[in-house]
Amino acid sequence: MKVLSGALKRRREQLGISQAEAAEGICHQSLLSRIERLDEVSNITVLQKLCDRLKLTVSDVARMDNCMLTTLSVVRQLIERREIEQAAEALENPGLMSRIPVFAYPEYNVLSARVALAENRIADAMQLLQLALGDVEKHQYELTVEIFTEMGATWLAQGEHINASECFERARGIIHRLPRDVQLSMARVIAHTNRHRAEMYLAVEDPQRAMERVTEAIGILPAPEVTDYHEMVELQMLRSRCADALSLEEESTNAKMLVYAAAEFSKDAKLQDDVKQYLAPVMPEEV
């Protein structure tokens, strides 16, 4: 998608910040340099985040409907908050697909696949992920990692551990080839990948390796935003399961307390209720 000539660069220079500062936590500096040089961006989420940092709206720099541009990021937030029904409704809006530019199809298909997997529509999820993989651009490292991660999760849901492992290894290989600063900007995606890898190791009865992946994921997850509390809850639940399998009673109890704490900090009433139901049978006195 084309953006207005020089709009991002002019605004960045007006604010007196470097490319590195503008790109930090969003994308690699080289990607921002490319965007500024070509006045072209292929990832809606990246554009939205850059505009937020530069105190712009997307409509300030692109001749497109701002509501349409934010739709996919809103859907992603719904999925990360586990509000699957609402995300499905948004994705099924009759006018949405007709308004999405071609370059956004891979992200649309990934999000649709995550909804399909949550609804146990396994074949649909895999088909959507195959479509996303066929359309994703080479420089979209974060989205490519997400595609392979979700493929692995989809295979895992079918008990196909070898295929799941191959997909997770593809994701891990991409991550390891990236510069350290790019990896840091992808911390949430990498943590999500490691959580699914841990689930696979538990499924094949290797709790030690599962615990290693969970610990790695917890260690790199950034300071929580609202949606990150949901990921932290799932990671700590998984850590508790690993600890139980390894007969680490104290660590299991600690993980359960952190599950409760993350839910409380989230201020999400549904997540808090879900966590209380999860914890009540095992530690009623402490919660």
Side-chain angles (χ1 to χ4, degrees):
M1 177 186 66
K2 286 290 185 181
V3 298
L4 297 180
S5 179
L8 291 173
K9 182 178 180 180
R10 281 196 302 274
R11 181 58 173 168
R12 178 177 61 76
E13 291 177 344
Q14 286 173 359
L15 295 174
I17 61 177
S18 67
Q19 282 186 342
E21 291 169 328
E24 185 178 2
I26 298 174
C27 63
H28 193 263
Q29 181 181 344
S30 63
L31 177 56
L32 176 55
S33 176
R34 179 180 182 275
I35 292 169
E36 290 187 351
R37 186 174 70 255
L38 301 178
D39 292 314
E40 186 174 273
V41 61
S42 60
N43 187 300
I44 287 175
T45 301
V46 167
L47 178 60
Q48 181 70 61
K49 290 180 178 179
L50 287 171
C51 286
D52 289 345
R53 177 152 300 164
L54 297 174
K55 298 179 174 59
L56 294 166
T57 66
V58 174
S59 58
D60 289 331
V61 299
R63 294 188 178 95
M64 299 183 72
D65 181 359
N66 189 47
C67 181
M68 180 278 289
L69 285 167
T70 59
T71 297
L72 292 183
S73 61
V74 170
V75 171
R76 183 177 291 278
Q77 289 173 8
L78 289 170
I79 293 171
E80 290 172 350
R81 292 200 302 265
R82 314 309 189 249
E83 296 177 14
I84 301 302
E85 185 176 343
Q86 294 91 325
E89 289 177 1
L91 288 166
E92 291 167 5
N93 184 313
L96 174 61
M97 196 62 184
S98 65
R99 299 196 308 270
I100 293 179
V102 173
F103 64 79
Y105 285 0
E107 186 173 6
Y108 176 88
N109 284 326
V110 170
L111 297 177
S112 298
R114 290 182 66 174
V115 168
L117 182 57
E119 295 176 339
N120 202 35
R121 294 186 288 111
I122 306 298
D124 289 344
M126 189 60 78
Q127 183 178 18
L128 288 161
L129 291 166
Q130 292 287 358
L131 288 172
L133 186 61
D135 292 337
V136 71
E137 297 186 24
K138 290 182 179 179
H139 67 272
Q140 292 180 290
Y141 307 117
E142 187 169 345
L143 191 57
T144 305
V145 168
E146 186 178 10
I147 291 169
F148 281 119
T149 296
E150 296 304 326
M151 279 185 169
T154 303
W155 282 119
L156 186 59
Q158 301 172 80
E160 297 283 352
H161 301 141
I162 293 177
N163 289 332
S165 179
E166 289 176 355
C167 289
F168 293 140
E169 284 301 308
R170 292 286 296 275
R172 189 177 70 89
I174 295 168
I175 292 166
H176 283 192
R177 289 194 297 273
L178 295 173
R180 181 61 178 165
D181 57 342
V182 179
Q183 293 183 28
L184 291 173
S185 73
M186 292 171 50
R188 289 179 177 85
V189 171
I190 296 172
H192 187 70
T193 299
N194 281 325
R195 174 164 68 81
H196 282 304
R197 291 177 67 202
E199 290 168 346
M200 181 193 68
Y201 287 131
L202 269 184
V204 298
E205 300 182 353
D206 191 346
Q208 184 58 52
R209 293 180 76 180
M211 180 67 87
E212 291 169 2
R213 299 288 76 76
V214 169
T215 301
E216 185 177 349
I218 292 170
I220 65 175
L221 196 66
E225 297 175 1
V226 174
T227 54
D228 293 324
Y229 286 113
H230 293 72
E231 185 73 15
M232 183 59 74
V233 163
E234 294 209 27
L235 284 168
Q236 293 293 351
M237 284 180 173
L238 193 54
R239 177 183 165 218
S240 176
R241 289 172 56 198
C242 294
D244 288 340
L246 295 167
S247 300
L248 301 173
E249 184 176 347
E250 183 176 351
E251 182 155 357
S252 178
T253 299
N254 178 260
K256 288 168 185 170
M257 292 304 300
L258 289 173
V259 166
Y260 181 76
E264 288 298 300
F265 278 114
S266 76
K267 307 300 182 184
D268 184 322
K270 183 179 182 302
L271 180 62
Q272 291 169 355
D273 288 344
D274 290 345
V275 161
K276 287 175 182 176
Q277 292 175 30
Y278 166 75
L279 294 176
V282 293
M283 47 190 308
E285 295 180 1
E286 293 163 281
V287 298

